[in-house]
Amino acid sequence: MTPTRFLMPLAWLAAACGNPPDRAAGQDSVPRDPPAPSRPESPPPRYWEPRPIQPPKVKVPRPVPDPAPDSAGVPDSGAASAPADSGDSARHATAAARRAGRGGLSGFQLTPADSARWPVPGLPEPLPGSLIPANRIVAYYGTPRSTRMGVLGRIPPDSMLPRLERTARMWAEADSTRGVMPALHLIATVAQDKPGGGAKYRLRLGTAVIDSVAGWAEARGWIVILDIQIGHSTVAAELEPLLPYLRRPYVHLALDPEFAMKNGGVPGRRVGTLDATDVNTAVDVLSKVVEEEKLPPKVLVVHRFTRRMLTNVERIKLDPRVQVVIDMDGFGIQKHKEYAYRLWIVPYPVQYTGFKLFYKNDRKPAYRSEADARWSCPDSVALAIGCGDDGLMTPERVLRLYPRPDYIQYQ
């Protein structure tokens, strides 16, 4: 077992972006495809029209009311005895929890200093065609090549795509102030626990898989987010084969520092890191694509669940052609997720925020098997956003966070 997969107060933090890289033949993981061309064989249509879901004019009541919030947003005092995920980061999180507890904070309550950081001052005005803030993005994460890495591959497309649309509609009902853009968040470069060709510890998906997922989104007026786990490679090197896709108006980008092993090591055995310089490399590439192709602004999602995962955040470039989202990643019980958002996202403002939800790992054990669970609300609601009593945070609960997340990801 890898140390980054364990749930613990705050350092459940280290169990963020899906299952660890595949380990042995026979496991359900991303198979090694034969070498594939690095560029699409034919260009996509030049015309694409976004079709975000608009909120209903009349708010639709939930079949089951959302439960009251937990009495505390700080991990229990016994957190120090839980197993550590990555050494210093886990100890730092526990110490921070104790300091917050001594300060008397409870629920999702910000300090005055943290509250003053939002909205971020000096942000560039959104350009025409910007997805945020007019819309919230609601994404399904994973890859069709694996049932273990997220909902995008865990259920067949003919079930997954309607469920995503239903989930997005429920988010639009929960917040009538903005539309919702459904997104398919595809892991396009997958970290590996073996060196592979070039000793890069990563595997690039073939174009056939990316083209297939892109086609699902394009036909519906949705967006695709291509996620890269660089392993021992670099952001610049992994962006190069994805440029033909990024030139499409509906394709965006995500960076996963968890599997960026800049200091050496095997992905999945400890938490990796990216610096502002790496994020700025992506910002520069995306802004150039937007300028050259006369596209709407791109969205750049960066995952985070420890401080060291993303360094020098204050140096991340703000460019109106690129909308940067720092996504709070990691699974655990609701109050720990809320506390992590306050610890790793709120004090380090960049531009926009995101929040990740796990259909399995966030839920109480009795509800982790969809086939066996006895839901307290209709199946259509339970499978999309949860009932409120199964452990999965509902839209209403997530919307209590401040700042309200602009990007929601389900795994």
Side-chain angles (χ1 to χ4, degrees):
M1 295 291 290
T2 62
T4 62
R5 297 299 112 187
F6 289 105
L7 172 67
M8 65 170 287
L10 266 277
W12 51 269
L13 309 162
C17 298
N19 293 292
D22 49 330
R23 295 177 178 78
Q27 289 187 330
D28 184 2
S29 57
V30 178
R32 271 70 172 176
D33 287 336
S38 61
R39 297 181 181 275
E41 295 180 358
S42 59
R46 294 293 299 175
Y47 180 76
W48 169 81
E49 181 181 1
R51 296 198 292 271
I53 294 171
Q54 299 303 323
K57 294 182 179 179
V58 178
K59 185 175 176 65
V60 180
R62 289 270 170 259
V64 177
D66 197 58
D70 294 318
S71 59
V74 179
D76 300 332
S77 59
S81 63
D85 66 323
S86 55
D88 292 343
S89 65
R91 289 190 289 271
H92 174 77
T94 303
R98 289 172 175 166
R99 290 196 298 272
R102 287 199 297 268
L105 296 177
S106 63
F108 192 78
Q109 180 180 351
L110 299 179
T111 66
D114 286 340
S115 299
R117 293 183 170 98
W118 300 92
V120 181
L123 288 182
E125 286 295 320
L127 296 177
S130 296
L131 285 171
I132 305 171
N135 302 289
R136 175 175 286 111
I137 300 170
V138 173
Y140 272 10
Y141 172 95
T143 169
R145 303 306 301 270
S146 172
T147 61
R148 298 175 59 247
M149 298 180 72
V151 64
L152 195 154
R154 190 162 55 244
I155 57 179
D158 58 355
S159 298
M160 181 271 295
L161 295 167
R163 185 185 296 189
L164 172 55
E165 182 171 357
R166 187 163 58 248
T167 303
R169 291 191 182 280
M170 292 178 182
W171 271 93
E173 293 168 6
D175 182 1
S176 62
T177 65
R178 60 206 301 196
V180 175
M181 173 58 78
L184 299 172
H185 192 124
L186 173 66
I187 314 170
T189 303
V190 187
Q192 305 290 296
D193 64 352
K194 298 294 188 295
K200 298 299 184 184
Y201 288 86
R202 58 93 179 97
L203 174 70
R204 295 170 177 169
L205 287 187
T207 57
V209 178
I210 302 177
D211 285 337
S212 178
V213 174
W216 300 340
E218 183 181 10
R220 292 166 173 78
W222 298 353
I223 65 171
V224 173
I225 300 171
L226 299 179
D227 195 296
I228 59 176
Q229 303 172 355
I230 66 172
H232 285 218
S233 186
T234 65
V235 170
E238 298 312 308
L239 280 176
E240 180 63 29
L242 299 179
L243 282 175
Y245 294 104
L246 293 170
R247 296 185 186 280
R248 305 181 186 186
Y250 57 90
V251 178
H252 303 265
L253 183 68
L255 304 177
D256 194 343
E258 180 181 1
F259 300 107
M261 314 311 292
K262 298 180 66 175
N263 299 320
V266 177
R269 296 187 183 174
R270 63 179 180 80
V271 179
T273 183
L274 288 176
D275 186 70
T277 55
D278 302 299
V279 178
N280 290 341
T281 294
V283 170
D284 289 341
V285 170
L286 293 175
S287 62
K288 183 178 179 181
V289 167
V290 168
E291 192 69 25
E292 291 177 347
E293 302 294 327
K294 308 301 179 188
L295 299 176
K298 294 292 185 182
V299 173
L300 173 60
V301 178
V302 185
H303 303 286
R304 187 178 199 182
F305 55 88
T306 72
R307 183 173 183 177
R308 293 180 181 179
M309 276 180 71
L310 187 58
T311 55
N312 297 309
V313 291
E314 69 281 358
R315 299 179 186 174
I316 294 176
K317 292 181 181 178
L318 294 182
D319 187 311
R321 295 166 293 187
V322 182
Q323 300 190 296
V324 180
V325 175
I326 307 300
D327 177 42
M328 204 299 293
D329 207 337
F331 62 79
I333 66 174
Q334 295 183 8
K335 65 181 180 180
H336 292 167
K337 292 174 74 79
E338 291 170 337
Y339 179 70
Y341 188 77
R342 190 174 69 206
L343 185 65
W344 305 124
I345 304 298
V346 174
Y348 307 103
V350 177
Q351 189 171 14
Y352 300 108
T353 70
F355 199 81
K356 187 168 183 176
L357 300 165
F358 289 75
Y359 277 129
K360 285 192 173 182
N361 292 338
D362 282 353
R363 279 186 158 129
K364 299 172 184 177
Y367 298 96
R368 290 179 182 172
S369 171
E370 294 182 356
D372 300 330
R374 296 184 178 181
W375 308 110
S376 64
C377 63
D379 287 359
S380 60
V381 176
L383 296 176
I385 60 171
C387 298
D389 59 357
D390 53 28
L392 183 69
M393 292 178 70
T394 62
E396 289 80 5
R397 176 127 184 185
V398 175
L399 291 171
R400 297 176 191 175
L401 301 174
Y402 183 82
R404 285 184 167 186
D406 302 284
Y407 172 78
I408 304 296
Q409 182 187 105
Y410 286 91
Q411 177 166 325

